Amino acid sequence: MTRRIGVIGTPGKWSTETLADAFADRTGYRQVIDMGRAMLDLDQGRLLCDGVDLCQLDGLVLKKAAEEYSADALDRLEMLRVAEAAGVRVFSPAEAVIRLMDRLACTVTLRNAGIPMPRTVITEDVGAAREALERFGAAVFKPLFSTKARGMVLLEAGAPDAETQIAAFKAANPVMYVQQKADLSGEDLGMVFLDGDYVCTYARVSQTGAWNTTIHSGGKYAPFDPSPELIDLGRRAQAPFGLTFTTVDIALTPDGPIVFEVSAFGGYSGAQKGCGIDAAALVANHVLTQVST
């Protein structure tokens, strides 16, 4: 019996198309779904996109809900709950991903689980944000919805324009997420898990002297062999979220390892370029096994 699995992502993007290809190779069915083109009819219980009723598919794989994280992307995930209620398996479940797209929701869950993280202050008060910066010495001001360090601002305590930059950040981000700058020593790690099982770890190594190591800022992937203790940390970090495929962002600091966040969608490119692992194939095999049971 042919299983019809749709891939929710960004048409034309490598990871989305590679994942769709993996399902096509195994089932003969290929469908890339752009949730920006979807229409939910609650009266009829239909979630339509490009003529396909997502509520009639055998499964949906979430690669990307939107090109950029935002409250609008959360609404797209809420629409998928109708497909789930109709019996369609979604990988990862919509509610699990909703808990991750807001940086604060992810941070609170990790903190409540006792995961070591950088010192962090969340506030709407400019004075409290300024005091946190002075206490931390250097801090990264992070939007609650962003990926690949977009919109983040690094500030140093005592900088002559710190007050102005905090005010500008506050204007764009009413709730300010202020995190002490960590000593990354030029690299951080992406630890990959499939259904809670460890897959591999890759490093993101800075090539440009930028304060962050993201590929968006010029970082490069490299293989990394973690200790069993580090793998256990990554496993504990991703466990509360119940994701199908994810990457845990970890940094090794002079004071020990810390976790920045758990990815809502996982690093397919990092697994490929850093570890030589075809994550799309792993996910496709796992999903097809799940929908066939």
Side-chain angles (χ1 to χ4, degrees):
M1 178 180 178
T2 299
R3 297 293 182 179
R4 298 190 304 155
I5 309 296
V7 174
I8 297 171
T10 305
K13 289 291 187 178
W14 175 83
S15 55
T16 297
E17 300 294 344
T18 298
L19 190 53
D21 288 343
F23 282 106
D25 291 343
R26 289 157 176 77
T27 68
Y29 182 83
R30 190 183 196 280
Q31 185 68 46
V32 172
I33 297 156
D34 178 357
M35 286 300 293
R37 298 171 58 85
M39 185 274 290
L40 174 61
D41 187 327
L42 288 171
D43 289 335
Q44 297 186 30
R46 304 176 74 196
L47 180 58
L48 300 172
C49 186
D50 295 329
V52 177
D53 186 354
L54 307 189
C55 295
Q56 299 300 314
L57 297 181
D58 297 299
L60 292 164
V61 178
L62 264 168
K63 182 58 196 79
K64 188 77 73 174
E67 188 61 21
E68 295 184 2
Y69 286 9
S70 68
D72 293 336
L74 294 180
D75 292 334
R76 294 180 179 184
L77 293 168
E78 291 290 352
M79 293 167 69
L80 291 176
R81 295 177 58 209
V82 174
E84 289 178 320
V88 180
R89 297 283 300 277
V90 178
F91 305 88
S92 299
E95 287 192 14
V97 177
I98 286 170
R99 294 174 60 205
L100 274 169
M101 291 193 71
D102 182 328
R103 176 170 279 107
L104 180 54
C106 177
T107 297
V108 169
T109 299
L110 289 170
R111 282 289 197 183
N112 286 347
I115 302 301
M117 300 185 71
R119 297 161 70 194
T120 305
V121 166
I122 295 92
T123 183
E124 296 181 47
D125 182 76
V126 170
R130 182 174 59 249
E131 190 277 332
L133 174 61
E134 293 299 324
R135 182 154 44 95
F136 294 160
V140 182
F141 285 63
K142 299 183 177 183
L144 295 185
F145 294 95
S146 73
T147 60
K148 299 180 175 60
R150 294 185 181 95
M152 296 184 184
V153 178
L154 173 63
L155 293 180
E156 302 282 344
D161 63 343
E163 195 84 22
T164 300
Q165 291 213 55
I166 292 174
F169 186 85
K170 162 74 174 177
N173 304 274
V175 178
M176 293 176 286
Y177 182 109
V178 185
Q179 192 165 73
Q180 185 173 33
K181 180 180 181 294
D183 179 4
L184 301 183
S185 300
E187 71 173 19
D188 69 346
L189 310 176
M191 188 174 288
V192 182
F193 290 86
L194 175 65
D195 198 32
D197 293 331
Y198 173 72
V199 176
C200 68
T201 301
Y202 56 86
R204 287 175 292 248
V205 183
S206 176
Q207 304 289 306
T208 63
W211 64 267
N212 70 80
T213 62
T214 65
I215 305 306
H216 181 71
S217 297
K220 300 296 182 183
Y221 294 118
F224 187 89
D225 185 20
S227 66
E229 293 77 15
L230 199 60
I231 293 173
D232 181 65
L233 173 61
R235 183 177 289 109
R236 289 190 290 113
Q238 59 84 42
F241 299 99
L243 300 164
T244 300
F245 182 76
T246 188
T247 303
V248 182
D249 289 347
I250 300 176
L252 304 179
T253 76
D255 298 319
I258 54 174
V259 173
F260 284 115
E261 61 187 16
V262 176
S263 169
F265 305 106
Y268 286 67
S269 181
Q272 177 71 51
K273 296 177 182 178
C275 306
I277 288 179
D278 186 348
L282 293 180
V283 170
N285 291 338
H286 172 75
V287 168
L288 290 172
T289 298
Q290 292 295 307
V291 300
S292 298
T293 57

